[in-house]
Amino acid sequence: MRLTVLTSLTASLMALSVTACAAPSNVSGTPSGTARTAFWLRPPATAAELERTLNAAGAAGFTDVLLEGFFHGRVAWNSTQFPRKLKYDAVKTALNVQARGGPRVNVWLETLYWRPDASFGIPVTPLWKDSMATLSAAGLPSLKYSKLGFVDPADADVQATLTALTREVATLYPGAGLHLDYLRYPRETDFGYHPAALAGFAAQTGLDARTLKRQNEDGTTSDGWRLWTDYRAGLITKLAGTLSSTYQASGGRGLISAAVFYTHDPLQRWQVWPGLEAAMPMVYLPYPALTRLALLQFPQRQLVWPGLQVGAGSPTLAAQLQAVRASGYGNAAVFGWTPGIK
């Protein structure tokens, strides 16, 4: 089974590379020695442990930390508005380490994923309302399909909450960057059939998205389905722009980045998100050669920081970084790193 999957993946990537841009010829267009390597980090239970991890990361060569600041519907800083996840201010702690020469801090927001499945034993966030949930065409929330509870970008309360979150981050910690994750719809089936989205689409097009057919009789995509796809993708793009502009208008001076799919998702068009300065497509592949092949699809620009995974079953970080650098991308982001992982 593993061989079959890899063979299929390789074939798909090779087909993609035929029409893709050639790999960049230099290191993301940046001078030698300015490459940045970030890593995703969920803050540990204590400030002391977080400091130790960040110091070890700096010693290992990481220049940036993507510190999870909004997850499970709670925040990891001393908020005046939102429920807290920890007993200490993880963002302030990380910024103190940064001031001593440690990795630059970027606050990682799980943008539209607010509620884990009950099997995780994590209390439901006070921010959650069932009316906020994105829905499938059958009218079911994502928790009925997976262990991830997503809210919908069309919901006014969702938009207001995320805008307020971003404003608070930029106001309290203007030197910290903003990292957007889960800025998408779930992929288990078609989502986005929230009442607000259906109403907005009907007002714009005169169509009921629930009655649309995907394909014409000849197998081509129907005009109605294309409009519905564009509408939902536009909601995600608009939210990305709102959060980026809110961050900057509120004093944020750091990098604006996002974790995105590396394979095509018609509803996550990150290439056109306003304000995005670093896209981190999650190229989690088992062989560096496949990583290099996958990177052929991205344009020659500094926007892309390939996202890599390390740990059990993954190539070494050194091998993956070599593949990234050889493909002309100077910057990268790493998932799964802990002190001692090679």
Side-chain angles (χ1 to χ4, degrees), residues 249-275:
S250 302
R253 303 188 302 270
L255 182 76
I256 299 176
S257 63
V260 298
F261 285 119
Y262 87 91
T263 52
H264 176 66
D265 185 328
L267 302 180
Q268 192 188 50
R269 300 173 182 175
W270 52 266
Q271 296 90 342
V272 297
W273 286 357

Side-chain angles (χ1 to χ4, degrees), residues 84-287:
R84 292 180 59 184
K85 184 75 175 177
L86 302 170
K87 295 181 179 179
Y88 73 101
D89 188 327
V91 178
K92 183 177 181 180
T93 299
L95 285 168
N96 289 340
V97 176
Q98 174 183 312
R100 300 194 297 268
R104 281 172 280 198
V105 179
N106 304 271
V107 181
W108 165 16
L109 307 182
E110 291 190 344
T111 315
L112 294 174
Y113 166 42
W114 289 15
R115 178 180 175 179
D117 185 77
S119 63
F120 288 105
I122 297 171
V124 178
T125 171
L127 299 177
W128 178 272
K129 298 176 185 175
D130 288 345
S131 61
M132 294 176 167
T134 192
L135 301 175
S136 68
L140 298 175
S142 58
L143 283 170
K144 294 293 185 180
Y145 297 84
S146 70
K147 295 184 180 295
L148 307 181
F150 276 71
V151 293
D152 197 285
D155 185 271
D157 287 342
V158 169
Q159 296 169 11
T161 298
L162 291 172
T163 300
L165 270 168
T166 303
R167 182 180 298 113
E168 186 174 73
V169 166
T171 301
L172 293 177
Y173 316 102
L178 178 69
H179 181 67
L180 306 172
D181 193 8
Y182 291 101
L183 187 46
R184 60 177 179 84
Y185 292 96
R187 293 179 113 190
E188 288 77 17
T189 187
D190 285 311
F191 284 95
Y193 293 81
H194 185 278
L198 294 173
F201 180 68
Q204 188 177 103
T205 66
L207 300 173
D208 184 346
R210 294 167 296 186
T211 66
L212 297 176
K213 295 182 178 180
R214 282 176 173 267
Q215 295 182 330
N216 300 312
E217 292 184 0
D218 61 1
T220 59
T221 302
S222 70
D223 290 341
W225 188 260
R226 188 177 295 109
L227 288 171
W228 177 229
T229 298
D230 290 344
Y231 180 80
R232 288 177 293 165
L235 290 175
I236 296 292
T237 297
K238 182 179 179 181
L239 181 56
T242 296
L243 299 183
S244 295
S245 62
T246 297
Y247 167 77
Q248 293 178 327
S250 302
R253 303 188 302 270
L255 182 76
I256 299 176
S257 63
V260 298
F261 285 119
Y262 87 91
T263 52
H264 176 66
D265 185 328
L267 302 180
Q268 192 188 50
R269 300 173 182 175
W270 52 266
Q271 296 90 342
V272 297
W273 286 357
L276 186 64
E277 297 172 296
M280 300 172 180
M282 297 169 284
V283 190
Y284 299 164
L285 295 171
Y287 303 112

Side-chain angles (χ1 to χ4, degrees), residues 36-111:
R36 293 168 65 173
T37 306
F39 75 109
W40 283 279
L41 176 65
R42 174 165 291 175
T46 68
E49 187 177 353
L50 175 57
E51 288 192 14
R52 286 194 294 271
T53 300
L54 292 174
N55 288 331
F62 287 101
T63 62
D64 290 73
V65 58
L66 308 169
L67 183 70
E68 199 165 24
F70 176 63
F71 56 111
H72 304 154
R74 290 174 167 80
V75 301
W77 63 81
N78 286 343
S79 176
T80 60
Q81 304 177 65
F82 303 102
R84 292 180 59 184
K85 184 75 175 177
L86 302 170
K87 295 181 179 179
Y88 73 101
D89 188 327
V91 178
K92 183 177 181 180
T93 299
L95 285 168
N96 289 340
V97 176
Q98 174 183 312
R100 300 194 297 268
R104 281 172 280 198
V105 179
N106 304 271
V107 181
W108 165 16
L109 307 182
E110 291 190 344
T111 315

